[in-house]
Amino acid sequence: MAPRIDVITLFPEAFRSVLESSIVGRALREARVEVVLTNLRDFGPDKRGTVDDKPFGGGPGMVLMCDPMFRCVEAVKALDARPGPVILLTPQGERLTQGRVRDMAGHERLILVCGHYEGFDERIRTLADLELSIGDFILTGGELPAMVVIDAVVRLIPGVLGAEDGAEEESFSAGLLEYPQYTRPREFRGLTVPEVLLSGNHAEIARWRAGQALERTRRRRADLLDRASAAEAAVDE
Ligand code: 4G3
């Protein structure tokens, strides 16, 4: 059975672009994943669908209320028998990494919750198995972070990318940045392609690429290099 991603949001229509994008759209059409959007507003107490209120203690802005969110998460859980982690997208969460994306892709079900306004009632956090942040910046809502999670997870579902792309993920999720790539023409406005790539010597090409990936990582993202030292040994061979 295809994995299922539920999204709880006040702006379900915002997800159209991602769900209709070429790769995620095809995965949905081929039923390799199911994405179900639930509008939190449907769980508000009145006809308006009010889901926020003024903060106790005063202060600016509005806060998402407990009752609509609790009932919504409970209802969404009941839509499918399979269990799965409830994940809140918040700036206070653990940082999203490829490793956490891989963990999420291993679940048959994910329930993503998008916060809004100035935040949510602190008690809503008790619904979450995990809080995730896509980076140290504030957005107007959790929708874009949820779309980032959907895109990153769906591309890891077997069959979603071609076999070659899948293999690529294996080697470069080892923690190195990608090596430089080139295509025709061999010379463009005086910019040339490294000779080794035209040599046909596949062992030498592999060695060059590994060295480039390592060097690029050292220059741009030295923080990633601890995990990549194993790759260094391969280049030294
Ligand atoms: C909850 C996530 C939600 C509390 C959400 C703001 C950035 C991220 C929100 C709150 C978000 C992120 C909605 N902004 N970095 N905004 O992943 O203060």
Side-chain angles (χ1 to χ4, degrees):
M1 201 178 192
R4 168 171 175 147
I5 304 176
D6 282 278
V7 183
I8 295 174
T9 172
L10 287 168
F11 299 98
E13 66 285 351
F15 287 80
R16 260 191 50 184
S17 58
V18 168
L19 301 183
E20 291 174 4
S21 76
S22 56
I23 296 198
V24 176
R26 188 182 61 206
L28 288 163
R29 283 194 302 280
E30 294 176 350
R32 296 188 197 278
V33 62
E34 187 182 359
V35 175
V36 178
L37 302 168
T38 297
N39 194 334
L40 178 62
R41 217 171 278 292
D42 296 341
F43 295 82
D46 52 29
K47 264 174 78 174
R48 276 206 181 84
T50 305
V51 291
D52 59 340
D53 204 347
K54 294 172 290 185
F56 277 130
M62 300 290 272
V63 177
L64 279 180
M65 300 159 75
C66 282
D67 186 74
M69 188 64 92
F70 272 69
R71 287 191 300 105
C72 185
V73 168
E74 286 157 6
V76 166
K77 281 185 176 179
L79 293 175
D80 193 289
R82 292 171 292 178
V86 173
I87 301 171
L88 291 191
L89 289 313
T90 75
Q92 299 85 26
E94 294 176 34
R95 178 65 53 84
L96 182 66
T97 60
Q98 191 62 25
R100 290 199 172 99
V101 171
R102 226 176 290 124
D103 291 345
M104 285 190 277
H107 282 98
E108 277 205 278
R109 188 161 187 217
L110 299 172
I111 301 174
L112 305 180
V113 179
C114 306
H116 239 272
Y117 302 107
E118 318 310 310
F120 27 73
D121 187 302
E122 187 66 17
R123 293 165 290 188
I124 286 173
R125 291 187 201 278
T126 65
L127 290 168
D129 298 295
L130 178 67
E131 286 185 42
L132 280 184
S133 165
I134 64 164
D136 288 338
F137 43 84
I138 311 291
L139 303 165
T140 58
E143 282 74 17
L144 285 166
M147 290 182 227
V148 166
V149 168
I150 291 169
D151 192 281
V153 167
V154 167
R155 66 181 287 284
L156 296 188
I157 294 171
V160 168
L161 296 185
E164 284 176 33
D165 292 334
E168 191 107 348
E169 152 68 19
E170 288 288 343
S171 48
F172 283 93
S173 59
L176 288 180
L177 300 183
E178 283 191 39
Y179 54 76
Q181 302 208 75
Y182 299 84
T183 186
R184 292 188 297 176
R186 292 168 67 137
E187 185 177 339
F188 178 75
R189 298 187 182 182
L191 302 170
T192 56
V193 174
E195 204 59 43
V196 58
L197 297 178
L198 311 170
S199 68
N201 184 335
H202 296 296
E204 207 183 317
I205 289 169
R207 231 174 70 91
W208 180 85
R209 285 175 168 168
Q212 290 288 312
L214 187 62
E215 189 49 31
R216 174 173 279 192
T217 308
R218 194 181 341 257
R219 280 187 209 275
R220 298 187 184 197
R221 292 295 308 276
D223 59 300
L224 296 178
L225 267 180
D226 264 354
R227 283 174 71 214
S229 44
E232 192 163 16
V235 180
D236 289 341
E237 281 178 351

